[in-house]
Amino acid sequence: MDNRLASLDWTLIRAFVAVAQGGSLSAAARDLHCSQPTIGRQIQSLQDALGVILFLRRPKGMVLTADGERLLPFAQQMMEAAGRFSMAATGADTQKAGTVRLTASVFVAHYVLPRILAELRQKEPLIQIELVPSDASENLLYRDADIALRMYRPSQLDIVARHLSDIEIGIFAAKSYIDRRGCPDDPKDLLAHDVIGYDRNDLIIRAMRQFGWDVSPNDFALRCDDQSAYWELVRAGCGIGFGQALVAQSDPNLVRLFDNLPIPTLSLWIAAPKAVRHTHRVAAVWDHLASSLSG
């Protein structure tokens, strides 16, 4: 075996997978919490060691070459094996003290979890929490997180998942908006108002079309894909928007419109790798989240 391959640095493999999944050096740098030049040097070092070109630079990012596509599944298998190795070590740990890495959507991390985690800190002061707000699907088998809260049922093997609740969605407007523009009396009048929509995400458009509104992005007064920024636009009175009813109900400055409109709910699931699910600290965080979020 080539000595360069025998002593291949594990961080190079990790960088390769991160760039392939993120599509750019900058995305990989954010994911791995290091600088873009560092990722670039790691990719070059890996290419030099392997004697192949893994990526081609394009205006919108990095594209895998044929060799890169051929090697990526093996690199991903190495990542999963490393994750299982780490999980096996964690699973043997019987101590409750330590860190639990938790990922959730940006909206849930901002508006739902702070109170719940404050209660957890009082209950379990020896457990440290790393909260990762992300709308991307963190790979639990890579140990990107120990526990994930997701709006869909995870389907990966070796993952334990439990349905917690169905989140009610409603249509809301700030009192300041209603004072300025009035309140629509009927859903068919909605498009005569300022409606806040998503930008590249077509979820709201598809949902509105199911209710008979023939909408396009140009029908939205404001557009934003960031869930937290979107909600702040609604709260500030920029227009009428969609949001989680439980979060909105705690805000006295918001008014719910069209209570009886049957908007589909969002399913909330909690998931963790089997290997760490029943370790003391992961189990403690899991149980607290499940108790707090179950509907």
Side-chain angles (χ1 to χ4, degrees):
M1 179 183 293
D2 191 317
N3 288 334
R4 293 176 303 170
L5 300 183
S7 59
L8 198 60
D9 188 342
W10 166 248
T11 60
L12 307 186
I13 301 295
R14 187 177 62 168
F16 171 44
V17 173
V19 174
Q21 293 179 336
S24 69
L25 297 178
S26 59
R30 288 193 299 270
D31 183 47
L32 299 178
H33 306 291
C34 59
S35 69
Q36 182 172 330
T38 296
I39 296 295
R41 288 193 295 271
Q42 289 174 342
I43 294 300
Q44 188 58 55
S45 295
L46 181 60
Q47 292 182 144
D48 292 343
L50 298 176
V52 298
I53 301 299
L54 299 171
F55 295 99
L56 298 176
R57 291 182 181 271
R58 293 290 183 260
K60 292 185 177 181
M62 306 287 281
V63 178
L64 284 166
T65 63
D67 283 327
E69 291 181 350
R70 177 174 57 85
L71 293 174
L72 179 60
F74 300 103
Q76 290 173 324
Q77 290 173 18
M78 292 175 67
M79 290 285 291
E80 291 191 7
R84 289 191 177 94
F85 179 84
S86 176
M87 285 187 286
T90 303
D93 184 359
T94 61
Q95 300 298 316
K96 184 174 284 189
T99 299
V100 174
R101 189 170 174 85
L102 167 65
T103 186
S105 72
V106 172
F107 186 90
V108 169
H110 283 195
Y111 294 101
V112 178
L113 286 181
R115 175 188 58 80
I116 293 172
L117 295 182
E119 295 169 349
L120 176 65
R121 289 293 305 142
Q122 295 180 41
K123 183 190 296 184
E124 302 288 356
L126 296 180
I127 298 178
Q128 301 167 354
I129 299 294
E130 291 179 351
L131 177 60
V132 184
S134 174
D135 291 325
S137 294
E138 307 296 325
N139 194 318
L140 297 177
L141 295 180
Y142 290 173
R143 292 305 304 277
D144 289 340
D146 299 304
I147 297 177
L149 293 172
R150 291 179 169 163
M151 300 301 178
Y152 59 90
R153 181 172 189 169
S155 58
Q156 286 178 293
L157 296 176
D158 300 324
I159 297 295
V160 178
R162 173 182 163 189
H163 177 253
L164 295 181
S165 64
D166 292 314
I167 299 174
E168 184 181 357
I169 302 299
I171 303 175
F172 300 92
K175 290 179 180 178
S176 60
Y177 174 84
I178 293 175
D179 290 342
R180 186 176 76 252
R181 292 292 311 275
C183 185
D185 296 321
D186 189 277
K188 67 182 180 182
D189 300 326
L190 188 62
L191 293 185
H193 283 259
D194 295 336
V195 178
I196 305 173
Y198 294 151
D199 182 18
R200 296 179 180 179
N201 186 331
D202 67 350
L203 179 62
I204 290 179
I205 288 178
R206 288 188 285 110
M208 292 182 71
R209 286 177 177 173
Q210 289 178 358
F211 285 101
W213 287 299
D214 185 17
V215 294
S216 71
N218 291 331
D219 290 306
F220 298 133
L222 288 91
R223 296 184 288 272
C224 181
D225 283 339
D226 184 282
Q227 299 291 306
S228 293
Y230 178 98
W231 190 240
E232 290 303 315
L233 293 173
V234 176
R235 294 183 67 245
C238 293
I240 298 172
F242 300 80
Q244 295 185 19
L246 193 61
V247 173
Q249 287 166 7
S250 65
D251 192 328
N253 294 313
L254 291 176
V255 175
R256 184 167 185 175
L257 309 176
F258 319 127
D259 289 16
N260 297 324
L261 201 63
I263 299 175
T265 58
L266 294 176
S267 281
L268 179 62
W269 291 77
I270 187 171
K274 287 182 181 178
V276 302
R277 162 66 182 89
H278 293 291
T279 60
H280 282 54
R281 59 179 174 270
V282 172
V285 175
W286 173 292
D287 291 345
H288 182 75
L289 292 170
S291 174
S292 302
L293 295 169
S294 291

